[in-house]
Amino acid sequence: MIRIEGINKSFGKLHVLKDVNLEIESGKITAVIGPNGSGKTTLIKTILGLMKPDTGKIFVDDKDISKGVEYKNKIGSMPQIARFPENLRVGELIDMVSDLRSRKNGVDKELFESYNLDNELNKMMGTLSGGTRQRVNAALAFMFKPEILILDEPTAGLDPISSSEIKDKIQKENKNGKTIIITSHILSDIEELSENLVFILEGKIIYNGTVKGLIEEKGKINLERTIASLMESNGK
Amino acid sequence: MNTMLKIIKYELRDVIRSKWILIYFAFLFLITEGMFQFSGSSSKVLLSMINIVLILIPIITISYGIIYMYSSREFTEMLLAQPIKRKTLYAGLYSGLALPLSIAYLGGVGLPFIFHGVDESGQFSVLLILLLSGVALSFVFTSLAVLISLSSDDKVKGLGIGIFVWLFMAVVYDGALLFGSYLLSEYPLEKPMLGMTMLNPIDLARVLLMLKFDISALMGYTGAVFKKFFGGPFGMLLSSGMLLLWILIPYLIGKSIFVKKDF
């Protein structure tokens, strides 16, 4: 379980996260959504330890993440834009991440194989197309069987087949009891995949509950209409 | 294997394949070898290499270091999402940059000397000082490059600051010292000059090299004062210590920025 307590984060005068309190339920898929610049990526980066909150604490399985880096062995992450060292081969990149992690859960090459990445092992990261790089990015997130998956816009930049494959994989891993956090702009993806929803607007959590609950509460036909009405009622 | 060594291992592959390091090595090798071909005497080659070392190493190291640090942002971000302590990652990134630069220098300048040898055994210690001070300068300017790139997120600004730092240390500082000593030529300036020399890593390396060449006699009374100071064990120790501080202080400031930085 991930517990976020009173997180504040500012960049200069810009107050990006405003006293965010949140619990991410274990074993469920939680979508974090909000307009551009609402603080989604900042929230995810603070969980991953890429950014440090000004105040507040984050706990992963009841351990304060500011106290050590061991918790990152439990997390597989897929950043929004896949950026890798240009002059490393795909195979070397995988070896490197594998070398740096504890690997106590073994290796899962399912997504890697369904993306046919075996043929790309000897290519330099810098020579790959955007889509292939994104597939490497996705395969790498799942590869070391992490208990928590943090996927920032997982379907962005993927062709329809790869996109369906990663969605199938997300659902499969959820059935295996993994905790999954997704951000996405594609609301139909979220409606299809996730059970819980966190809606952030200007650094504040406006809604935190189930996707179904929100749609019923607002009485709309789908998530897109529901989010639109939620934004309107908040003066956006 | 230790986590830091693993980071260095993969970064080395990335750096070496970027080809710039190979070009740097080939360039130094061709210059040194070319000088052997033209002059034929190792003492002349050594003397000519001083200026190349003092001017080239700082500018190449600082500009390459800054550009590499900016372009490896993604590498850093990816590694930060893995279970690695920031301090370890910083040490790994730094070494992965300073080591190949030093090795390229040692190989480029050292290999021709291995092929041709030195004329008299006395020159061996000069060669040693030349190689060591070049490595020290590589580390100093890698530290400065890392510090500059972490202090500013703007690539162009970072590179601009780097070139300014080099220009200041390699050219402006000496000019200002010369001008100052001209204005105050009525006063005994040897001691303050000694102190001022210690504050610039390029000057420190230059003085160490000059004194080894026994050309300090050409510098008159000041040369004698410098020779007495830097030539003695205390002076050697102090100036090596100062070069070490020039490596450590920017390295540690950079580390404290890196540990707190948002990526």
Side-chain angles (χ1 to χ4, degrees):
Chain A
M1 187 187 59
I2 301 172
R3 196 168 77 244
I4 295 166
E5 287 180 359
I7 292 285
N8 277 287
K9 179 73 193 173
S10 300
F11 297 109
K13 282 180 186 164
L14 199 66
H15 200 166
V16 182
L17 292 178
K18 296 166 186 160
D19 195 32
V20 172
N21 290 288
L22 187 63
E23 272 191 20
I24 309 274
E25 277 185 85
S26 294
K28 297 217 168 140
I29 303 180
T30 303
V32 178
I33 61 171
N36 293 330
S38 57
K40 293 173 302 221
T41 300
T42 306
L43 182 66
I44 281 180
K45 283 187 166 187
T46 43
I47 299 175
L48 286 171
L50 292 173
M51 289 184 179
K52 308 236 162 167
D54 300 335
T55 59
K57 282 186 172 165
I58 298 176
F59 298 87
V60 172
D61 291 341
D62 291 320
K63 281 192 186 127
D64 184 346
I65 65 162
S66 66
K67 298 281 190 288
V69 292
E70 280 305 308
Y71 79 100
K72 291 184 193 174
N73 272 316
K74 294 182 185 168
I75 298 180
S77 71
M78 178 177 174
Q80 190 171 345
I81 304 161
R83 302 201 302 174
F84 300 108
E86 300 262 296
N87 299 309
L88 285 187
R89 296 176 206 284
V90 175
E92 287 170 335
L93 186 79
I94 291 166
D95 289 346
M96 177 180 80
V97 178
S98 165
D99 263 0
L100 294 168
R101 299 181 68 108
S102 73
R103 284 168 296 166
K104 65 174 171 26
N105 296 341
V107 178
D108 170 8
K109 294 190 85 176
E110 192 181 35
L111 198 57
F112 190 81
E113 279 157 11
S114 64
Y115 281 165
N116 290 323
L117 290 172
D118 275 322
N119 304 331
E120 319 278 341
L121 279 175
N122 285 321
K123 291 191 184 154
M124 297 283 184
M125 290 304 303
T127 63
L128 297 182
S129 71
T132 312
R133 214 177 297 182
Q134 196 66 0
R135 294 206 301 253
V136 173
N137 190 16
L140 212 50
F142 289 90
M143 191 166 281
F144 301 99
K145 295 189 171 176
E147 289 135 56
I148 300 166
L149 282 153
I150 299 182
L151 313 169
D152 199 355
E153 303 275 352
T155 56
L158 289 179
D159 60 84
I161 298 172
S162 306
S163 172
S164 312
E165 279 170 339
I166 193 170
K167 282 195 270 184
D168 291 344
K169 182 69 181 164
I170 290 170
Q171 280 170 329
K172 189 175 170 190
E173 290 306 312
N174 177 46
K175 288 204 182 82
N176 290 337
K178 303 262 165 91
T179 307
I180 301 169
I181 302 175
I182 298 179
T183 74
S184 182
H185 278 102
I186 307 165
L187 294 175
S188 57
D189 279 357
I190 287 178
E191 216 172 341
E192 183 187 338
L193 292 171
S194 41
E195 194 170 338
N196 290 341
L197 181 78
V198 174
F199 186 72
I200 306 183
L201 201 60
E202 291 176 346
K204 279 186 194 155
I205 293 181
I206 303 287
Y207 179 82
N208 177 16
T210 61
V211 177
K212 270 188 195 153
L214 182 66
I215 298 174
E216 278 167 19
E217 188 188 312
K218 295 279 167 186
K220 302 284 176 189
I221 51 164
N222 62 16
L223 186 60
E224 192 171 2
R225 300 261 176 195
T226 310
I227 295 297
S229 90
L230 195 63
M231 286 175 77
E232 276 163 14
S233 62
N234 279 284
K236 288 283 137 186
Chain B
M1 199 179 9
N2 173 301
T3 311
M4 195 179 104
L5 290 178
K6 287 179 195 165
I7 297 168
I8 295 174
K9 179 175 118 190
Y10 290 100
E11 193 187 344
L12 271 181
R13 284 191 200 170
D14 189 42
V15 168
I16 285 170
R17 289 195 194 132
S18 82
K19 298 188 184 71
W20 285 107
I21 287 286
L22 294 179
I23 294 173
Y24 179 46
F25 163 78
F27 181 69
L28 286 171
F29 181 84
L30 287 177
I31 286 187
T32 317
E33 181 61 29
M35 284 194 189
F36 267 110
Q37 298 299 335
F38 285 116
S39 74
S41 103
S42 67
S43 64
K44 283 184 191 159
V45 178
L46 276 171
L47 198 57
S48 318
M49 286 315 289
I50 292 184
N51 284 313
I52 289 171
V53 166
L54 292 174
I55 299 292
L56 272 186
I57 289 185
I59 182 69
I60 289 177
T61 306
I62 205 165
S63 46
Y64 179 78
I66 288 174
I67 292 168
Y68 183 80
M69 282 301 286
Y70 283 119
S71 65
S72 67
R73 259 308 259 275
E74 52 262 47
F75 189 62
T76 316
E77 282 175 30
M78 199 194 132
L79 289 173
L80 278 173
Q82 308 304 327
I84 303 169
K85 289 197 181 86
R86 285 199 177 202
K87 285 177 190 166
T88 315
L89 180 55
Y90 180 76
L93 284 174
Y94 177 85
S95 318
L97 191 54
L99 288 178
L101 281 164
S102 303
I103 293 167
Y105 164 73
L106 282 177
V109 175
L111 282 180
F113 278 98
I114 292 177
F115 299 153
H116 299 276
V118 284
D119 300 342
E120 332 157 13
S121 56
Q123 283 174 8
F124 186 72
S125 66
V126 182
L127 177 64
L128 202 66
I129 294 275
L130 181 77
L131 293 178
L132 283 180
S133 54
V135 171
L137 282 179
S138 301
F139 274 80
V140 169
F141 283 87
T142 305
S143 294
L144 291 170
V146 170
L147 173 60
I148 291 167
S149 65
L150 288 173
S151 318
S152 159
D153 280 337
D154 181 349
K155 263 186 202 183
V156 178
K157 194 173 150 198
L159 197 58
I161 295 173
I163 290 172
F164 176 80
V165 166
W166 170 78
L167 199 67
F168 180 80
M169 286 179 176
V171 184
V172 178
Y173 191 86
D174 289 347
L177 267 194
L178 204 64
F179 187 65
S181 64
Y182 167 73
L183 286 183
L184 302 169
S185 53
E186 306 287 306
Y187 302 90
L189 284 175
E190 286 75 20
K191 294 254 162 70
M193 287 292 263
L194 264 179
M196 297 296 279
T197 306
M198 306 283 269
L199 295 179
N200 181 345
I202 298 182
D203 278 354
L204 267 174
R206 179 180 289 134
V207 168
L208 280 175
L209 285 165
M210 290 288 202
L211 293 171
K212 272 285 160 198
F213 273 99
D214 265 342
I215 40 178
S216 50
L218 299 175
M219 296 191 287
Y221 178 61
T222 315
V225 172
F226 271 52
K227 171 103 187 163
K228 190 171 159 227
F229 179 75
F230 285 106
F234 175 70
M236 282 295 254
L237 212 65
L238 192 67
S239 46
S240 314
M242 281 302 288
L243 269 177
L244 209 61
L245 283 183
W246 266 107
I247 297 170
L248 275 178
I249 292 172
Y251 174 85
L252 291 173
I253 300 174
K255 183 168 156 182
S256 78
I257 296 176
F258 188 80
V259 168
K260 292 183 211 123
K261 194 173 171 66
D262 291 324
F263 285 91

